[in-house]
Amino acid sequence: MKYQYLALLLYACTPLVGATDAAIASQWVFKDQQMTFPETLLKPALAFQALNLQDMNEENRHKTLEDLYIREILVKKGIGQDTSRSTELEERVNEFRKSELSRLALEKASEEGMPDFTARAKELYEANREDKYALPLRLRVRTVEMLIDEGQQEQVRQKLSDIRTQILSGKLDFKAAAIVNSPNSAHKMREGDSFWFRQGKVPDTFYSEAAKLSAENPLSSVLVLGNIAYLLQYLDRKEPETLTFEQVKPNIIAELQREYRTDKVKQLTQQLRDQFKRDVTVNPVF
């Protein structure tokens, strides 16, 4: 959806890191002939939805700002229309406020008495170090892929061999070849990138061929698996490693804290339910 007067200032969101508070406060995020939306209003709007523009790609940033623009326009229209519904609005706002206050109170209560989980995190790390934190060789390649129709294996193999020769001679870019010859939209969208994989996540023959590649030897020979022929290009590799306790400590502790909060919330809510049953008298009318 596009708006004639909307000027989404994506660059105003990108340089948030390192900017001074005074500079940030003076920035506007988007504006049109009716309004200017300042950065000072952006922060609480994003915080309420647990969003962070720095974690978004440009498309999602644009969509988020577009949604905010739509909300602000509708809010302005709502304020200017049907004042007879103001009482209903106040009631809804009041109920929402109560709901948020109770949620915040429960969150705070769920953290009371939380212990230091460092020692427990260390125990879990030692128990899971070999199975969970010992990472095997991980590979990443780009592929040109061609489907093989019945009886066409040699023709497809020859076509891929010709593409390989052109790439080696510099006449053809591998990524371009991967996109042009994509067997499906998903392969085309990722430009033939396999992303990171390890042994067992792809066929063994494919993994073995990828493992042979390096920066010095970046191109595979033609590989045929079933009804698909492949040409592989080296992108990167990560050698086997074991993550240290300090590397994984924040994640382990965060998970232990989440479990603590979840259990505490269950206990607190059950206590209140029991209290309701024990101490509260309900009018028979209801």
Side-chain angles (χ1 to χ4, degrees):
M1 186 182 296
K2 295 183 179 178
Y3 300 91
Q4 183 177 1
Y5 303 112
L6 178 58
L8 286 174
L9 200 66
L10 291 173
Y11 76 84
C13 306
T14 304
L16 293 180
V17 177
T20 65
D21 290 340
I24 291 175
S26 66
Q27 291 176 352
W28 52 270
V29 182
F30 55 76
K31 64 181 180 179
D32 65 5
Q33 291 183 342
Q34 303 177 57
M35 68 169 177
T36 296
F37 190 85
E39 200 275 340
T40 51
L41 294 183
L42 177 65
K43 285 184 175 180
L46 294 176
F48 178 72
Q49 301 178 67
L51 297 176
N52 187 345
L53 290 181
Q54 297 173 30
D55 296 336
M56 299 180 188
N57 57 32
E58 184 174 333
E59 181 180 356
N60 287 336
R61 287 186 188 183
H62 187 284
K63 178 65 167 58
T64 299
L65 297 179
E66 185 179 81
D67 289 343
L68 281 175
Y69 174 80
I70 294 172
R71 187 195 71 174
E72 291 300 307
I73 290 295
L74 292 176
V75 165
K76 288 182 178 296
K77 288 184 177 180
I79 291 174
Q81 296 174 353
D82 198 2
T83 55
S84 64
R85 301 188 66 182
S86 59
T87 300
E88 178 187 354
L89 175 61
E90 288 300 320
E91 290 174 348
R92 292 191 181 190
V93 169
N94 189 44
E95 286 302 311
F96 175 78
R97 183 173 182 275
K98 288 180 180 179
S99 177
E100 285 297 290
L101 283 173
S102 65
R103 181 183 62 81
L104 292 173
L106 188 58
E107 284 184 2
K108 183 174 179 59
S110 72
E111 296 181 353
E112 292 177 358
M114 183 180 292
D116 181 352
F117 285 114
T118 301
R120 178 56 179 159
K122 183 69 173 179
E123 292 176 357
L124 290 173
Y125 171 78
E126 294 297 340
N128 295 286
R129 179 166 52 182
E130 295 302 320
D131 294 334
K132 192 172 182 179
Y133 302 119
L135 303 178
L137 174 65
R138 288 140 292 159
L139 305 171
R140 185 180 176 189
V141 298
R142 194 185 307 279
T143 62
V144 176
E145 300 180 13
M146 290 187 181
L147 295 175
I148 302 173
D149 293 330
E150 186 175 354
Q152 298 297 310
Q153 184 176 127
E154 287 307 313
Q155 290 90 327
V156 172
R157 185 187 291 272
Q158 184 58 51
K159 186 173 181 180
L160 274 179
S161 295
D162 293 342
I163 290 175
R164 186 178 190 276
T165 300
Q166 293 180 60
I167 291 171
L168 288 172
S169 65
K171 296 180 179 179
L172 181 62
D173 177 70
F174 195 102
K175 183 190 291 187
I179 294 173
V180 169
N181 295 282
S182 290
N184 53 60
S185 59
H187 183 272
K188 187 171 186 177
M189 286 182 64
R190 64 177 189 267
E191 299 176 332
D193 193 335
S194 68
F195 302 118
W196 292 105
F197 61 90
R198 61 184 68 183
Q199 192 168 22
K201 298 300 182 180
V202 295
D204 289 343
T205 305
F206 186 99
Y207 179 86
S208 298
E209 193 69 24
K212 298 175 186 176
L213 303 180
S214 64
E216 295 73 27
N217 178 38
L219 211 57
S220 75
S221 57
V222 177
L223 175 66
V224 176
L225 293 175
N227 67 333
I228 304 178
Y230 300 87
L231 190 62
L232 279 59
Q233 180 193 43
Y234 170 83
L235 289 182
D236 203 354
R237 65 188 285 144
K238 292 180 181 179
E239 299 299 331
E241 63 176 325
T242 298
L243 299 177
T244 67
F245 175 63
E246 291 304 318
Q247 286 177 296
V248 300
K249 176 182 174 182
N251 291 337
I252 298 176
I253 289 182
E255 181 59 32
L256 290 171
Q257 290 175 339
R258 278 194 294 270
E259 292 176 358
Y260 180 90
R261 293 190 191 98
T262 299
D263 291 341
K264 198 70 177 292
V265 166
K266 289 180 180 178
Q267 293 174 16
L268 291 170
T269 52
Q270 187 58 51
Q271 288 173 8
L272 293 173
R273 292 183 189 281
D274 292 342
Q275 182 176 318
F276 179 84
K277 294 176 182 178
R278 182 183 65 248
D279 301 335
V280 176
T281 302
V282 178
N283 188 324
V285 174
F286 297 98

